[in-house]
Amino acid sequence: MFAARQIFFTPISGAAIEATQRERALNAEDALKAAHTESVQDRRGAGPYAVQT
């Protein structure tokens, strides 16, 4: 009924895993910096309105 599928796994070297983890860490760091910058800009823009009640 269904054809059998063969799945092949390619071994990944330790250096490739480290490079992948390093890239993910750098991406996370960039995202955190961008979020922080956006948060600071939002707070500066809301300054006059934040005092009003």
Side-chain angles (χ1 to χ4, degrees):
M1 196 176 222
F2 293 102
R5 290 189 195 178
Q6 288 184 331
I7 301 173
F8 297 97
F9 294 99
T10 304
I12 301 173
S13 71
I17 291 171
E18 287 179 23
T20 301
Q21 290 174 338
R22 190 177 313 112
E23 185 67 26
R24 290 179 68 188
L26 290 172
N27 288 341
E29 185 178 354
D30 289 342
L32 182 60
K33 286 178 184 177
H36 176 72
T37 300
E38 183 179 352
S39 175
V40 169
Q41 290 173 345
D42 286 347
R43 276 185 269 141
R44 286 184 183 153
Y49 305 105
V51 179
Q52 295 177 355
T53 55

